[in-house]
Every structure is written in structure tokens, then in C-alpha cells.
Amino acid sequence: MTATAVVPHSDLDPFSDAFLDDPYDAHRALRDAGPVVYLDHYRVWAFARFAQVRAVLTDPATFCSSAGVGLTDFRKETPWRAPSLLLEADQPEHTRARHAITKVLTPKVVRRFRDTFTQAAEVLVGKLLDRGTFDVVADLAEAFPLQVFPDAVGLPPDGRENLLPYGSMVFNGFGPRNHLFEEAMAGGVAVRDWIMAHCEADALSPDGVGALIHQAAAEEGYEPGERALLVRSFLSAGVDTTVHGLGNAVFCLATHQDQWQALRADPSLARAAFEETIRFESPVQTFFRTTTVDVQIAGVTLPAGEKVLTFLGAANRDPREWENPDEFDLSRRAAGHVGFGAGTHACVGQMLARLEGEALLGALARQVETLELAGPPVRQLSNTLRGLQTLPVRVG
Ligand code: 4MI
């Protein structure tokens, strides 16, 4: 029998507004339907249980990335931008790109940013405390990464407003051509041009991470155009993801006052709070892979050349793996979640992301006594990312 005959089917649309707005009931339904589910809407195989998501991510030879990690199959359709040398590549090309980047993102370089990030976070939180009420998304979750990350990369001060619209194109671009995809891409030519121009060595300050990438990539034998594409990975992956992670973290804390009190009592829990946020409200909800061969998984054979969809956010709340998964709990061991992926493609910037989270949540814990919602949070829908558009709070 063919796999489509034995695998449970679902008519859920994981890229519909309703699903993206509140995915957790649908995640449970997908997990409970079986270890692998066929999504009739997109004709793809879906994995929502932790064990299978992890198995897919840690077998890149079988579940490849070079056909794209969105719905678009690069073997059949032209992608909206040149494929990433890092994200949308397999061995050996991926290994080479990854090596150029890990050569730069050493523990030493990451340590260099600790003081800068911490100080910037303390200053920003101090200003917001003076204001009393503010929008967490614009004034904190966007403002902070938009300052420290482009500084770290070595981008000039002008034009940074292009980073978030570009991120929106990247992350909505992984989904189907629905209204979110079209809206993100509309009028994006100027944004793309700015991004590509600022991946070039002459646009980057000589002491930043971008310049180091150019250097490391040159040593690996990459041509100038390819070196710029490696910098593009930073500008694609480094802003929207952390914006959503930081916004989600403050949202979780403001809506779980016991956990906020625990963090205030012990600001050294800031790192744990960020990690638990990545598990509980995973900023990157989904990624696709493509089967390279007929593959046996959970007792069925999936054909070669097909898209499979991994639900990272659902895996991170799978009760088969986690105790009380729907509880936001700083004291749990959240390590091992797949919010940063897993295996060879696991987030290469995760140490920088954690540093941003630790700096910002630490500053809040040290300076703020009361944190409460000052209005209804509004969700920002994205084909890939989970996060908020606005989050009004009052602090004291
Ligand atoms: C996981 S988010 C992400 C990672 C890498 C790239 C984009 C987004 C890229 O362009 O390499």
C-alpha cells in the first residue's frame, strides 16, 4: 500500500490566519493523529511529535535542505531569492559554509559582545522604566536587537529600517503564496536591494562580524559574491527571530506573574527564562525538508522527492517528551527543545540570541518591580514566526 493510504490525513491549513493565531489545539490534533500525517491542503507530510521532528532534523542525508526549507521545491520552482549557502544547502556545501561562520562566531567573539549587550539593555530598560507605559514590541523587542545586532555586524546607522521588512520577506517566503506571502513581498525590491548592497565588504565596518565573515569566507576560497551571500544569512536570520523571541519572553513573563516574581527574585534565571520561552512560544514554528530517498519512518514508507513539514513549536509542547508542556516554568530543564533546530543545521547564532535574551531579561529583572499588561496584545501573523505586533505594558 502507498503511504498516503495508510497515513492519517488532515485538512488543517497550518498557514491559515486561524491556525497561526492560535496553533496549540491544532498542534495537539496533529500529534495525536499519528507520528506522521498527510496534509491534503499542501500535499506534504507533517511531523508534530518531538521524536519524529528530532529524527527528521538529525538525518540531513535523508531529509535535505537544498530543495529549500519552505514549501517551494527549488527543484521544480524558482525561489524568490538566490538560495542561502547555509540554510538551503546540504553536505558538502553546507559544511563549508557553516565552517566559515563558526570560525567567526567563536566563544571569544560572543564573549566580546556580553558587556556591550548588557549595558545597552540596562540603558534601554532604564529609559522605559521612566516612561512607565510602552509597547514591548516596538520599544523593547525590536529596539534592542535593531541596535545591538547591526552594530555587531558592522552595518552603518542609516537604513536599518530595512532589516525587519526583509526578515518578513524571508520568513513569510517559507510559506505558501497566501496573503501573508504576498503582503511581505509587495514593494520589497528596494528592501532587497538595500540588504544585498549591505552584504558587500565595502558597506561593512572593518571591525564588525560582517567583515570577519568576508575574511573567513575568503580563506575558505569563496568568491566575493558568495562571501556577501554568507553575510546575507546574518541579516536574514539575526533580527526577526530575536525580536520575536524577546517579545514572546516578555509576554510570557507578563502573563505568568509567578514566573516574573521568580525571575525578579533571582535575575540569574534570565537565561533560563529565555530558553523556556523558546520552548513554550517557539519563534520559529516550522521548517520543511525534502526526502532524498524512499524513507521508512514510523512504520510507513514516504516516497523520495517529497516535502515534509516539521512543527518545531508542536514538538516543544509534546507531552510524550515534556512534563506539563503547556506550563511556562523557568525551573524546568528546557534544554533539548528543538526551537533552535537540531543536528548539523541547528541555529549557528544561538549563542548570540541567548546573549541578547539574557541581557534584556536580566536588565528587566534587575530594574523593574511590576510588569503588567496595559492593553490587549495583538498578534503578528507570519508563515514561519510566532510573535506579537504590539504588547502594551506598564512597568514600575
Ligand atoms: C532559522 S532562521 C534563518 C536561518 C538562515 C537563513 C535565514 C533564516 C539564511 O538565509 O541563511
Side-chain angles (χ1 to χ4, degrees), residues 69 81 83-88 166 170-171 174 229-230 232-238 241 284 287 339-340 345 347 384-385:
V69 296
R81 62 173 195 163
S84 163
L85 299 177
L86 186 69
L87 181 77
E88 294 152 337
Y166 188 69
V170 168
F171 289 100
F174 293 130
L229 262 189
L230 289 173
R232 195 192 68 178
S233 285
F234 275 75
L235 306 189
S236 304
T241 48
V284 176
F287 265 132
F340 286 121
H345 279 277
C347 177
T384 304
L385 297 175

mmCIF file of all heavy atoms in Angstrom, residues 69 81 83-88 166 170-171 174 229-230 232-238 241 284 287 339-340 345 347 384-385, ligand 1:
data_model
loop_
_atom_site.group_PDB
_atom_site.id
_atom_site.type_symbol
_atom_site.label_atom_id
_atom_site.label_comp_id
_atom_site.label_asym_id
_atom_site.label_seq_id
_atom_site.Cartn_x
_atom_site.Cartn_y
_atom_site.Cartn_z
ATOM 1 N N VAL A 69 13.846 25.056 2.492
ATOM 2 C CA VAL A 69 13.243 24.674 3.769
ATOM 3 C C VAL A 69 11.883 25.340 3.959
ATOM 4 O O VAL A 69 11.342 25.368 5.052
ATOM 5 C CB VAL A 69 14.189 24.964 4.952
ATOM 6 C CG1 VAL A 69 15.450 24.119 4.836
ATOM 7 C CG2 VAL A 69 14.546 26.441 5.043
ATOM 8 N N ARG A 81 14.445 34.282 -4.021
ATOM 9 C CA ARG A 81 15.786 34.890 -3.915
ATOM 10 C C ARG A 81 16.803 33.777 -4.128
ATOM 11 O O ARG A 81 16.452 32.587 -4.065
ATOM 12 C CB ARG A 81 15.991 35.551 -2.553
ATOM 13 C CG ARG A 81 15.911 34.573 -1.384
ATOM 14 C CD ARG A 81 16.288 35.186 -0.046
ATOM 15 N NE ARG A 81 16.518 34.100 0.940
ATOM 16 C CZ ARG A 81 17.146 34.228 2.079
ATOM 17 N NH1 ARG A 81 17.624 35.400 2.438
ATOM 18 N NH2 ARG A 81 17.299 33.208 2.886
ATOM 19 N N PRO A 83 19.269 30.978 -3.384
ATOM 20 C CA PRO A 83 19.296 30.140 -2.182
ATOM 21 C C PRO A 83 20.431 30.526 -1.232
ATOM 22 O O PRO A 83 21.504 30.932 -1.666
ATOM 23 C CB PRO A 83 19.517 28.734 -2.744
ATOM 24 C CG PRO A 83 18.965 28.788 -4.124
ATOM 25 C CD PRO A 83 19.253 30.182 -4.613
ATOM 26 N N SER A 84 20.154 30.398 0.059
ATOM 27 C CA SER A 84 21.185 30.619 1.077
ATOM 28 C C SER A 84 22.235 29.519 0.972
ATOM 29 O O SER A 84 21.898 28.347 0.812
ATOM 30 C CB SER A 84 20.543 30.591 2.466
ATOM 31 O OG SER A 84 21.530 30.412 3.460
ATOM 32 N N LEU A 85 23.498 29.906 1.078
ATOM 33 C CA LEU A 85 24.586 28.912 1.042
ATOM 34 C C LEU A 85 24.616 28.070 2.313
ATOM 35 O O LEU A 85 25.267 27.026 2.368
ATOM 36 C CB LEU A 85 25.940 29.612 0.874
ATOM 37 C CG LEU A 85 26.124 30.428 -0.408
ATOM 38 C CD1 LEU A 85 27.478 31.118 -0.408
ATOM 39 C CD2 LEU A 85 25.971 29.529 -1.632
ATOM 40 N N LEU A 86 23.904 28.553 3.336
ATOM 41 C CA LEU A 86 23.958 27.908 4.646
ATOM 42 C C LEU A 86 22.679 27.109 4.917
ATOM 43 O O LEU A 86 22.715 25.900 5.143
ATOM 44 C CB LEU A 86 24.130 29.005 5.707
ATOM 45 C CG LEU A 86 24.345 28.555 7.136
ATOM 46 C CD1 LEU A 86 25.702 27.888 7.287
ATOM 47 C CD2 LEU A 86 24.218 29.737 8.091
ATOM 48 N N LEU A 87 21.558 27.840 4.877
ATOM 49 C CA LEU A 87 20.274 27.255 5.273
ATOM 50 C C LEU A 87 19.760 26.282 4.225
ATOM 51 O O LEU A 87 19.199 25.237 4.551
ATOM 52 C CB LEU A 87 19.255 28.394 5.451
ATOM 53 C CG LEU A 87 17.853 28.003 5.881
ATOM 54 C CD1 LEU A 87 17.833 27.690 7.366
ATOM 55 C CD2 LEU A 87 16.850 29.112 5.560
ATOM 56 N N GLU A 88 19.926 26.668 2.956
ATOM 57 C CA GLU A 88 19.303 25.923 1.865
ATOM 58 C C GLU A 88 20.359 25.123 1.108
ATOM 59 O O GLU A 88 20.428 25.148 -0.122
ATOM 60 C CB GLU A 88 18.536 26.914 0.974
ATOM 61 C CG GLU A 88 17.365 27.531 1.743
ATOM 62 C CD GLU A 88 16.951 28.928 1.298
ATOM 63 O OE1 GLU A 88 17.752 29.659 0.702
ATOM 64 O OE2 GLU A 88 15.792 29.291 1.567
ATOM 65 N N TYR A 166 12.778 42.978 5.519
ATOM 66 C CA TYR A 166 13.459 41.873 4.837
ATOM 67 C C TYR A 166 13.213 40.559 5.578
ATOM 68 O O TYR A 166 12.930 39.527 4.963
ATOM 69 C CB TYR A 166 14.964 42.137 4.705
ATOM 70 C CG TYR A 166 15.651 41.095 3.839
ATOM 71 C CD1 TYR A 166 15.408 41.045 2.465
ATOM 72 C CD2 TYR A 166 16.493 40.131 4.399
ATOM 73 C CE1 TYR A 166 15.997 40.078 1.673
ATOM 74 C CE2 TYR A 166 17.092 39.160 3.604
ATOM 75 C CZ TYR A 166 16.839 39.139 2.245
ATOM 76 O OH TYR A 166 17.416 38.176 1.459
ATOM 77 N N VAL A 170 11.681 37.021 4.227
ATOM 78 C CA VAL A 170 12.341 35.718 4.390
ATOM 79 C C VAL A 170 11.394 34.718 5.050
ATOM 80 O O VAL A 170 11.189 33.600 4.549
ATOM 81 C CB VAL A 170 13.627 35.864 5.226
ATOM 82 C CG1 VAL A 170 14.168 34.500 5.648
ATOM 83 C CG2 VAL A 170 14.685 36.649 4.444
ATOM 84 N N PHE A 171 10.787 35.124 6.170
ATOM 85 C CA PHE A 171 10.037 34.149 6.963
ATOM 86 C C PHE A 171 8.638 33.890 6.409
ATOM 87 O O PHE A 171 8.124 32.779 6.542
ATOM 88 C CB PHE A 171 10.027 34.556 8.437
ATOM 89 C CG PHE A 171 11.387 34.375 9.059
ATOM 90 C CD1 PHE A 171 12.248 35.445 9.227
ATOM 91 C CD2 PHE A 171 11.840 33.106 9.404
ATOM 92 C CE1 PHE A 171 13.524 35.270 9.760
ATOM 93 C CE2 PHE A 171 13.108 32.912 9.931
ATOM 94 C CZ PHE A 171 13.955 33.998 10.111
ATOM 95 N N PHE A 174 8.883 31.396 3.328
ATOM 96 C CA PHE A 174 8.963 29.935 3.510
ATOM 97 C C PHE A 174 7.593 29.280 3.375
ATOM 98 O O PHE A 174 7.485 28.056 3.276
ATOM 99 C CB PHE A 174 9.536 29.582 4.890
ATOM 100 C CG PHE A 174 10.984 29.963 5.075
ATOM 101 C CD1 PHE A 174 11.395 30.692 6.190
ATOM 102 C CD2 PHE A 174 11.949 29.583 4.145
ATOM 103 C CE1 PHE A 174 12.733 31.043 6.370
ATOM 104 C CE2 PHE A 174 13.289 29.928 4.320
ATOM 105 C CZ PHE A 174 13.682 30.659 5.438
ATOM 106 N N LEU A 229 26.804 36.586 0.160
ATOM 107 C CA LEU A 229 25.637 35.735 0.458
ATOM 108 C C LEU A 229 25.715 35.170 1.875
ATOM 109 O O LEU A 229 24.692 34.987 2.541
ATOM 110 C CB LEU A 229 25.565 34.571 -0.533
ATOM 111 C CG LEU A 229 24.630 34.714 -1.733
ATOM 112 C CD1 LEU A 229 24.533 33.384 -2.472
ATOM 113 C CD2 LEU A 229 23.239 35.171 -1.308
ATOM 114 N N LEU A 230 26.919 34.898 2.345
ATOM 115 C CA LEU A 230 27.065 34.408 3.722
ATOM 116 C C LEU A 230 26.688 35.499 4.721
ATOM 117 O O LEU A 230 26.063 35.221 5.749
ATOM 118 C CB LEU A 230 28.490 33.907 3.975
ATOM 119 C CG LEU A 230 28.835 32.590 3.267
ATOM 120 C CD1 LEU A 230 30.311 32.253 3.439
ATOM 121 C CD2 LEU A 230 27.980 31.447 3.805
ATOM 122 N N ARG A 232 24.520 37.743 4.046
ATOM 123 C CA ARG A 232 23.059 37.811 3.930
ATOM 124 C C ARG A 232 22.370 36.879 4.929
ATOM 125 O O ARG A 232 21.290 37.188 5.444
ATOM 126 C CB ARG A 232 22.614 37.467 2.497
ATOM 127 C CG ARG A 232 21.169 37.852 2.189
ATOM 128 C CD ARG A 232 20.673 37.239 0.893
ATOM 129 N NE ARG A 232 20.539 35.786 1.020
ATOM 130 C CZ ARG A 232 20.084 34.984 0.058
ATOM 131 N NH1 ARG A 232 19.730 35.501 -1.122
ATOM 132 N NH2 ARG A 232 19.994 33.680 0.247
ATOM 133 N N SER A 233 22.979 35.728 5.202
ATOM 134 C CA SER A 233 22.400 34.805 6.192
ATOM 135 C C SER A 233 22.257 35.475 7.550
ATOM 136 O O SER A 233 21.268 35.258 8.263
ATOM 137 C CB SER A 233 23.255 33.547 6.330
ATOM 138 O OG SER A 233 23.075 32.706 5.214
ATOM 139 N N PHE A 234 23.243 36.297 7.919
ATOM 140 C CA PHE A 234 23.157 37.025 9.195
ATOM 141 C C PHE A 234 21.995 38.007 9.178
ATOM 142 O O PHE A 234 21.234 38.089 10.142
ATOM 143 C CB PHE A 234 24.463 37.798 9.456
ATOM 144 C CG PHE A 234 25.515 36.963 10.104
ATOM 145 C CD1 PHE A 234 26.209 36.027 9.376
ATOM 146 C CD2 PHE A 234 25.795 37.110 11.454
ATOM 147 C CE1 PHE A 234 27.174 35.246 9.977
ATOM 148 C CE2 PHE A 234 26.756 36.322 12.065
ATOM 149 C CZ PHE A 234 27.446 35.398 11.325
ATOM 150 N N LEU A 235 21.896 38.749 8.071
ATOM 151 C CA LEU A 235 20.856 39.777 8.000
ATOM 152 C C LEU A 235 19.476 39.152 7.868
ATOM 153 O O LEU A 235 18.467 39.756 8.218
ATOM 154 C CB LEU A 235 21.133 40.743 6.841
ATOM 155 C CG LEU A 235 22.516 41.397 6.838
ATOM 156 C CD1 LEU A 235 22.581 42.491 5.770
ATOM 157 C CD2 LEU A 235 22.872 41.970 8.210
ATOM 158 N N SER A 236 19.418 37.912 7.368
ATOM 159 C CA SER A 236 18.137 37.211 7.230
ATOM 160 C C SER A 236 17.682 36.615 8.545
ATOM 161 O O SER A 236 16.502 36.644 8.883
ATOM 162 C CB SER A 236 18.266 36.070 6.220
ATOM 163 O OG SER A 236 18.736 36.534 4.983
ATOM 164 N N ALA A 237 18.627 36.033 9.267
ATOM 165 C CA ALA A 237 18.275 35.181 10.405
ATOM 166 C C ALA A 237 18.440 35.871 11.751
ATOM 167 O O ALA A 237 17.925 35.393 12.751
ATOM 168 C CB ALA A 237 19.142 33.921 10.390
ATOM 169 N N GLY A 238 19.143 37.000 11.766
ATOM 170 C CA GLY A 238 19.596 37.539 13.049
ATOM 171 C C GLY A 238 18.692 38.555 13.714
ATOM 172 O O GLY A 238 18.925 38.904 14.871
ATOM 173 N N THR A 241 14.026 36.876 14.246
ATOM 174 C CA THR A 241 13.973 35.743 15.169
ATOM 175 C C THR A 241 14.133 36.207 16.620
ATOM 176 O O THR A 241 13.338 35.833 17.481
ATOM 177 C CB THR A 241 15.108 34.769 14.847
ATOM 178 O OG1 THR A 241 16.316 35.547 14.731
ATOM 179 C CG2 THR A 241 14.848 34.034 13.548
ATOM 180 N N VAL A 284 10.514 30.371 15.816
ATOM 181 C CA VAL A 284 10.458 29.662 14.535
ATOM 182 C C VAL A 284 9.559 28.444 14.737
ATOM 183 O O VAL A 284 9.902 27.525 15.455
ATOM 184 C CB VAL A 284 11.854 29.230 14.047
ATOM 185 C CG1 VAL A 284 11.743 28.415 12.760
ATOM 186 C CG2 VAL A 284 12.741 30.459 13.809
ATOM 187 N N PHE A 287 9.666 24.362 9.803
ATOM 188 C CA PHE A 287 10.569 24.322 8.655
ATOM 189 C C PHE A 287 10.274 23.067 7.852
ATOM 190 O O PHE A 287 9.833 22.068 8.414
ATOM 191 C CB PHE A 287 12.047 24.327 9.087
ATOM 192 C CG PHE A 287 12.664 25.705 9.088
ATOM 193 C CD1 PHE A 287 13.409 26.153 10.171
ATOM 194 C CD2 PHE A 287 12.502 26.551 8.005
ATOM 195 C CE1 PHE A 287 13.965 27.427 10.183
ATOM 196 C CE2 PHE A 287 13.056 27.827 8.003
ATOM 197 C CZ PHE A 287 13.789 28.257 9.096
ATOM 198 N N GLY A 339 13.610 24.324 19.360
ATOM 199 C CA GLY A 339 13.328 25.691 18.931
ATOM 200 C C GLY A 339 14.459 26.316 18.124
ATOM 201 O O GLY A 339 14.235 27.195 17.290
ATOM 202 N N PHE A 340 15.678 25.860 18.377
ATOM 203 C CA PHE A 340 16.831 26.277 17.566
ATOM 204 C C PHE A 340 17.172 25.209 16.526
ATOM 205 O O PHE A 340 18.289 25.195 15.996
ATOM 206 C CB PHE A 340 18.057 26.525 18.449
ATOM 207 C CG PHE A 340 18.019 27.793 19.272
ATOM 208 C CD1 PHE A 340 18.102 27.737 20.662
ATOM 209 C CD2 PHE A 340 17.927 29.035 18.665
ATOM 210 C CE1 PHE A 340 18.082 28.904 21.429
ATOM 211 C CE2 PHE A 340 17.901 30.210 19.421
ATOM 212 C CZ PHE A 340 17.978 30.142 20.804
ATOM 213 N N HIS A 345 22.214 21.509 11.080
ATOM 214 C CA HIS A 345 21.674 22.821 10.707
ATOM 215 C C HIS A 345 21.198 23.622 11.916
ATOM 216 O O HIS A 345 20.646 24.710 11.742
ATOM 217 C CB HIS A 345 20.515 22.664 9.724
ATOM 218 C CG HIS A 345 20.945 22.456 8.305
ATOM 219 N ND1 HIS A 345 21.295 23.492 7.469
ATOM 220 C CD2 HIS A 345 21.092 21.317 7.582
ATOM 221 C CE1 HIS A 345 21.626 23.010 6.282
ATOM 222 N NE2 HIS A 345 21.517 21.683 6.321
ATOM 223 N N CYS A 347 20.671 26.174 14.772
ATOM 224 C CA CYS A 347 20.967 27.610 14.728
ATOM 225 C C CYS A 347 22.428 27.902 15.068
ATOM 226 O O CYS A 347 22.901 27.586 16.155
ATOM 227 C CB CYS A 347 20.053 28.361 15.702
ATOM 228 S SG CYS A 347 20.406 30.125 15.764
ATOM 229 N N THR A 384 6.026 31.681 9.242
ATOM 230 C CA THR A 384 7.027 30.900 9.975
ATOM 231 C C THR A 384 7.140 31.289 11.442
ATOM 232 O O THR A 384 7.313 30.420 12.302
ATOM 233 C CB THR A 384 8.421 31.066 9.330
ATOM 234 O OG1 THR A 384 8.348 30.699 7.955
ATOM 235 C CG2 THR A 384 9.455 30.176 10.015
ATOM 236 N N LEU A 385 7.074 32.589 11.701
ATOM 237 C CA LEU A 385 7.396 33.072 13.045
ATOM 238 C C LEU A 385 6.156 33.247 13.906
ATOM 239 O O LEU A 385 5.101 33.624 13.402
ATOM 240 C CB LEU A 385 8.131 34.411 12.957
ATOM 241 C CG LEU A 385 9.483 34.397 12.247
ATOM 242 C CD1 LEU A 385 10.028 35.816 12.135
ATOM 243 C CD2 LEU A 385 10.476 33.511 12.986
HETATM 244 C C1 4MI B 1 16.400 29.809 11.154
HETATM 245 S S1 4MI B 1 16.207 31.267 10.545
HETATM 246 C C2 4MI B 1 17.224 31.509 9.122
HETATM 247 C C3 4MI B 1 18.480 30.940 9.042
HETATM 248 C C4 4MI B 1 19.272 31.174 7.939
HETATM 249 C C5 4MI B 1 18.827 31.975 6.915
HETATM 250 C C6 4MI B 1 17.558 32.557 7.005
HETATM 251 C C7 4MI B 1 16.754 32.332 8.114
HETATM 252 C C8 4MI B 1 19.692 32.207 5.709
HETATM 253 O O1 4MI B 1 19.283 32.999 4.861
HETATM 254 O O2 4MI B 1 20.755 31.615 5.633
#
